Amino acid sequence: MANKTALEFQYLDELFESFIENLQLVIDKLKEEDSSRNAAPDFTLIDFWSKLETGYKSMSAEASKFSLWFSKPPLPKREECESLMESVQRVSLVIVSAYYGLPKEHGVRLRKYVRRSVLDVIDGVQTLAKRIKDERYQCSQGQLQSTGTVWEACDEFTSLPKNNCEAILQVIKNSSELVKDALQELQEAQETGGERDSGWDDIDEVLGRVDINDTNRNTWSEGDKAVLPPCIGLVKASRSCLKKVSTAVKSNGQWEDAHSIAQLDDLADIVDEVSPSVDELVSCVYAPMRHSVIRTNANQLSGVLLHLLGRCKATHVCKQEDTTWLNFLDHYSGGARRPARDWILVDGLKCVLIMTTLYGTVH
């Protein structure tokens, strides 16, 4: 009996190792630099989504079957196991082939979302196989959780953006949520007087950035406090800017011609810069405050916002009725004269003035 069990485990180990390796090859290929095949002459998004949906539904069913075969004795025979794995690999091929058949001309961002989703599905199946093997082919809580993970990855199909316009709106939404978190952090810093966790002080001391004998290094000076409101204003302006662009894309975004799709991808590339620039600004407001760093980071963020709105003006999402508020940017980005007090210490915070003029009080 023991010899029979050992032989069963041996052939299962061999099959599972080969299966897992094959899936890893697929995963590694998907993680490589994005490259699509030449578009089929009769390609349509409707057919693409239909094919991918069919693949996802099949994979969810295959994962259930795969898990069920190893949920209780007896263990499947070698032929049964081989057939099961071949079936999973066929479905994997359908899904991956569908992804590679999506032309870049339909949107780089759309392809990125699809690729991430396909990766999640294939990775989930591989994790399930690893869990079954590691648990020595006996049902476990981990196996059930891994099966559920595959189901969730397949169910994500319904929430995938179905065209490049929807993909860009998702990019803007994600960035806006990150900016919202950064704004909350900044407001909390204002409430605590700029104090950070002690761990940050230890790092600064090790790096020699602060004088350990300076008892005021953990608090803001009056000059520091004066800088914070415009910093908060600039982060709020960032959210307002993203909201304005999102509204324009939602109202006017086109996803059926290559030129418009490429313009949306360009906007998404700039949107990607907003949240990191906000984070850079927020990270430097804690005591001890370095005004030169704040000025640099504020200018950087202002430049990103101006670039985003300027690019928006040059794309199809900007209609005639939008030119009034967009043309206003040229006046300020060109260095219009303003009383020094209006710049509130940091030149880069001119975007606060721009957004306030455009929308009233930024939120």
Side-chain angles (χ1 to χ4, degrees):
M1 183 69 179
N3 289 336
K4 180 181 178 181
T5 301
L7 288 174
E8 286 178 331
F9 281 176
Q10 182 178 352
Y11 82 72
L12 285 173
D13 284 345
E14 292 173 354
L15 290 176
F16 269 77
E17 286 171 5
S18 177
F19 180 64
I20 291 169
E21 288 175 2
N22 289 339
L23 291 177
Q24 187 62 49
L25 291 174
V26 175
I27 292 171
D28 291 342
K29 184 64 177 178
L30 285 168
K31 288 181 178 179
E32 291 177 2
E33 184 177 352
D34 192 22
S35 60
S36 62
R37 301 168 184 169
N38 293 329
D42 57 347
F43 176 88
T44 66
L45 277 178
I46 293 176
D47 291 341
F48 164 77
W49 289 117
S50 177
K51 184 177 182 180
L52 193 65
E53 182 180 24
T54 299
Y56 274 34
K57 288 181 177 179
S58 297
M59 184 61 83
S60 182
E62 290 295 334
S64 300
K65 189 190 305 182
F66 198 72
S67 184
L68 186 62
W69 272 87
F70 294 94
S71 62
K72 59 183 179 180
L75 293 173
K77 298 177 181 179
R78 185 183 187 94
E79 295 77 13
E80 294 171 331
C81 195
E82 288 176 341
S83 176
L84 182 61
M85 291 179 176
E86 288 173 359
S87 180
V88 172
Q89 291 181 104
R90 280 196 300 270
V91 176
S92 299
L93 182 61
V94 169
I95 293 173
V96 173
S97 296
Y99 160 69
Y100 281 119
L102 175 62
K104 283 188 176 181
E105 289 76 14
H106 281 269
V108 173
R109 289 296 166 146
L110 179 61
R111 279 179 58 82
K112 285 184 177 180
Y113 275 109
V114 174
R115 178 172 63 167
R116 180 67 265 170
S117 176
V118 171
L119 267 169
D120 287 343
V121 171
I122 304 300
D123 183 71
V125 174
Q126 186 194 53
T127 300
L128 172 60
K130 287 179 178 178
R131 186 59 61 92
I132 293 173
K133 178 177 180 292
D134 291 344
E135 297 294 339
R136 306 314 294 156
Y137 314 106
Q138 297 180 15
C139 188
S140 66
Q141 186 63 33
Q143 176 180 328
L144 297 177
Q145 290 174 347
S146 295
T147 306
T149 299
V150 177
W151 292 342
E152 290 176 3
C154 293
D155 289 344
E156 281 297 310
F157 173 86
T158 57
S159 60
L160 280 173
K162 297 305 187 291
N163 56 61
N164 211 45
C165 190
E166 291 184 11
I168 270 58
L169 287 172
Q170 187 62 51
V171 171
I172 298 173
K173 179 183 177 182
N174 294 343
S175 180
S176 184
E177 290 175 350
L178 292 172
V179 172
K180 180 181 178 181
D181 292 340
L183 175 61
Q184 182 178 352
E185 179 184 343
L186 195 55
Q187 291 171 330
E188 290 174 354
Q190 188 178 33
E191 294 174 359
T192 61
E195 293 186 10
R196 296 186 291 190
D197 294 338
S198 59
W200 287 102
D201 297 331
D202 296 338
I203 294 173
D204 283 342
E205 289 173 9
V206 170
L207 297 177
R209 292 175 177 170
V210 297
D211 180 0
I212 60 175
N213 296 318
D214 182 3
T215 58
N216 295 320
R217 71 179 186 272
N218 290 328
T219 59
W220 280 327
S221 66
E222 291 304 312
D224 294 340
K225 293 177 182 178
V227 173
L228 198 62
C231 286
I232 292 176
L234 183 54
V235 176
K236 288 183 176 181
S238 301
R239 288 194 67 198
S240 295
C241 178
L242 291 170
K243 182 179 180 180
K244 184 66 178 178
V245 174
S246 177
T247 300
V249 172
K250 188 178 299 183
S251 300
N252 307 316
Q254 300 295 317
W255 51 270
E256 295 179 332
D257 66 278
H259 182 65
S260 296
I261 289 170
Q263 289 182 338
L264 292 175
D265 282 327
D266 288 342
L267 282 176
D269 289 341
I270 305 173
V271 169
D272 281 342
E273 300 177 28
V274 175
S275 177
S277 296
V278 167
D279 289 341
E280 287 294 325
L281 177 62
V282 173
S283 66
C284 66
V285 301
Y286 294 95
M289 188 180 288
R290 301 172 183 83
H291 288 223
S292 62
V293 177
I294 290 179
R295 181 185 297 273
T296 297
N297 291 341
N299 277 321
Q300 168 66 23
L301 176 54
S302 295
V304 170
L305 298 182
L306 291 171
H307 187 201
L308 176 59
L309 292 172
R311 177 66 70 179
C312 186
K313 178 182 177 181
T315 68
H316 68 280
V317 303
C318 176
K319 300 304 181 182
Q320 186 63 36
E321 57 269 24
D322 298 316
T323 55
T324 299
W325 62 266
L326 281 167
N327 282 335
F328 200 82
L329 295 173
D330 295 333
H331 175 66
Y332 283 97
S333 61
R337 290 183 176 273
R338 282 261 173 178
R341 58 184 170 80
D342 284 355
W343 298 121
I344 320 178
L345 295 178
V346 184
D347 294 340
L349 300 187
K350 58 189 175 184
C351 273
V352 175
L353 298 177
I354 292 172
M355 301 305 294
T356 302
T357 303
L358 295 178
Y359 310 116
T361 302
V362 289
H363 301 286

